[in-house]
Amino acid sequence: MLAAQRLHVQPLYAREKTGSSSTPGTSGSSSAATKVRKLPTQPERVLDAPGILDDYYLNLLTWSSRNELAVGLEESTYVWRASTGAAFQLTESTEGRWVTSLDWSADGAFLAIGMSNGDVELWDVEAERRLRTMTGHQAQVASLAWNNHILSSGCQDGSIWHHDVRVARHHQGTLLGHLGEICGLKWRSDGGLLASGGNDNVVNVWDSRTGDSDPNGEFYEQRTAKWTKRNHTAAVKAIAWCPWQDSLLATGGGTGDATVHFWNTNTGARVASLTTPGQVTSVHFTPLAKEFVTTHGYPTNSVMVHSYPSMTKIGEIKDAHDSRVIYSAISPSGDSIVTGAGDENIKFWKLWEVPPKKQKGSGKSSSSSVLTLR
């Protein structure tokens, strides 16, 4: 079926722009009324992404610090460069495997790719060369997260593996705290804590400095998280660490929950909650303001911006896609997000303004570029 669809893949085009109810946070409130502002009704750019899977549990979009976007389309991975407006095919899998997760290293030089058969591939994007394939997982890897030279992978069986990408025996540790697929996985920027969300509706926060060594000294297992939270009533895919308050973690639940909880990871306390109109598929804090953005599936297919900690809705882009907004990533400058959906479109939305002193090397491409995938 996937092979047949590939025969009908269309070009990828770039087009320039043409023309909830919430519950207050349980800690603190805004001292002044937050101004509601009009968010864009049309994206700045649209990329055609034929064959992108409409699967809540996968993570098929990632935006690098070098301003390059990686997209998983069935068994292939494509990279779009903002500096040139050009897209190219990086990988093509065989033997019935398809891409299930993607994540860039912090420097943007390497791309990790999780596969449906449990493999994790590491690619040098500049050289367009696969460096290695790390095996061991027995089911699909739907989430990936980097911490320097350690790559963590979340599996469908509920396990999380730590891989040291520098050594042959890459498997360095295992976290066992979920009973369902790991669909959300994020390291805090300092590498001290790892947050995971699963199809078991559980959020775990893991301390990287604890764990029991294997008797042979080859790897360790950790079965008890620093914090385990069971407030969500649906799968937890949306996870974000706050860039301006490193102890603050946001987590969002899927259909049947539709709630974003905010956690103080120093104390384990839930400090705020936001009830949204629909399935929460992602959450991102911007470094440019005390605000965060959420993306949603059924029934709104929307993008929403709220202030923190007041939870005031700043604005909403309703029906941002023709189907649920299932994937997203925030730009390296923090002013935009990119969204992907089962309508086979990838859209760029500018939601904040970067101060003039930070606008060097924006890397915007011309509006006339045509991006051909194949």
Side-chain angles (χ1 to χ4, degrees):
M1 179 178 175
L2 295 179
Q5 290 179 351
R6 286 169 58 86
L7 299 177
H8 299 90
V9 172
Q10 300 299 316
L12 177 71
Y13 295 94
R15 302 194 295 270
E16 290 293 335
K17 175 173 63 176
T18 55
S20 109
S21 62
S22 64
T23 56
T26 57
S27 69
S29 60
S30 179
S31 58
T34 303
K35 290 184 178 179
V36 175
R37 66 176 181 270
K38 185 176 177 60
L39 299 184
T41 57
Q42 296 295 324
E44 288 205 320
R45 186 182 302 276
V46 179
L47 307 181
D48 184 23
I52 192 167
L53 298 176
D54 183 14
D55 190 327
Y56 174 86
Y57 301 101
L58 307 187
N59 291 275
L60 299 179
L61 273 182
T62 181
W63 204 336
S64 80
S65 58
R66 298 186 181 186
N67 213 5
E68 296 180 339
L69 185 72
V71 185
L73 299 182
E74 298 174 342
E75 67 269 37
S76 301
T77 304
Y78 292 85
V79 175
W80 176 80
R81 289 191 168 122
S83 59
T84 63
F88 64 93
Q89 183 178 359
L90 178 67
T91 76
E92 182 175 9
S93 302
T94 57
E95 301 173 355
R97 302 184 308 151
W98 59 92
V99 177
T100 52
S101 56
L102 300 166
D103 198 39
W104 290 99
S105 60
D107 62 3
F110 305 105
L111 181 65
I113 304 176
M115 304 300 298
S116 59
N117 70 335
D119 289 351
V120 178
E121 298 181 356
L122 181 62
W123 285 75
D124 181 331
V125 176
E126 187 67 29
E128 298 184 33
R129 181 169 64 93
R130 184 174 62 187
L131 300 177
R132 66 182 304 178
T133 298
M134 296 176 288
T135 62
H137 282 301
Q138 300 302 306
Q140 73 176 14
V141 174
S143 55
L144 294 165
W146 283 92
N147 178 18
N148 296 317
H149 58 274
I150 298 297
L151 175 64
S152 300
S153 57
C155 185
Q156 192 174 43
D157 64 11
S159 67
I160 300 168
W161 284 20
H162 296 321
H163 310 264
D164 187 334
V165 300
R166 305 169 300 176
V167 298
R169 292 189 175 183
H170 55 88
H171 184 196
Q172 298 293 302
T174 303
L175 307 180
L176 300 172
H178 288 275
L179 299 176
E181 181 165 20
I182 310 299
C183 47
L185 197 63
K186 291 287 174 61
W187 279 100
R188 196 169 68 180
S189 61
D190 66 356
L193 295 175
L194 174 68
S196 60
N199 193 27
D200 54 1
N201 310 344
V202 170
V203 173
N204 279 320
V205 179
W206 305 89
D207 192 324
S208 65
R209 293 157 292 187
T210 60
D212 298 322
S213 297
D214 178 80
N216 297 322
E218 295 181 355
F219 66 92
Y220 68 88
E221 284 190 354
Q222 190 173 343
R223 295 177 179 271
T224 303
K226 178 180 181 179
W227 306 113
T228 295
K229 300 299 176 182
R230 306 182 187 276
N231 301 67
H232 289 290
T233 58
V236 181
K237 177 184 181 180
I239 294 179
W241 291 97
C242 180
W244 28 264
Q245 186 177 332
D246 62 6
S247 62
L248 182 62
L249 173 71
T251 60
T255 305
D257 182 77
T259 301
V260 183
H261 293 307
F262 298 83
W263 311 94
N264 180 330
T265 56
N266 288 336
T267 66
R270 180 167 59 95
V271 297
S273 292
L274 173 70
T275 302
T276 76
Q279 177 186 48
V280 183
T281 57
S282 70
V283 58
H284 303 280
F285 290 97
T286 176
L288 303 176
K290 296 297 193 299
E291 296 176 3
F292 63 95
V293 59
T294 54
T295 63
H296 300 272
Y298 307 124
T300 61
N301 303 336
S302 64
V303 174
M304 302 178 72
V305 176
H306 288 82
S307 66
Y308 185 87
S310 71
M311 303 294 135
T312 302
K313 185 170 79 170
I314 303 297
E316 180 178 7
I317 306 171
K318 295 183 178 180
D319 296 315
H321 285 262
D322 292 335
S323 61
R324 56 182 180 169
V325 184
I326 203 79
Y327 310 112
S328 77
I330 192 166
S331 66
S333 58
D335 63 336
S336 303
I337 67 165
V338 61
T339 57
D343 61 4
E344 300 189 333
N345 285 320
I346 293 171
K347 299 182 179 182
F348 293 76
W349 309 91
K350 186 170 183 180
L351 304 178
W352 299 278
E353 292 295 330
V354 177
K357 63 181 181 179
K358 297 182 180 180
Q359 286 185 333
K360 295 180 181 180
S362 61
K364 288 190 176 181
S365 58
S366 65
S367 59
S368 61
S369 59
V370 176
L371 311 181
T372 304
L373 282 182
R374 308 182 197 272

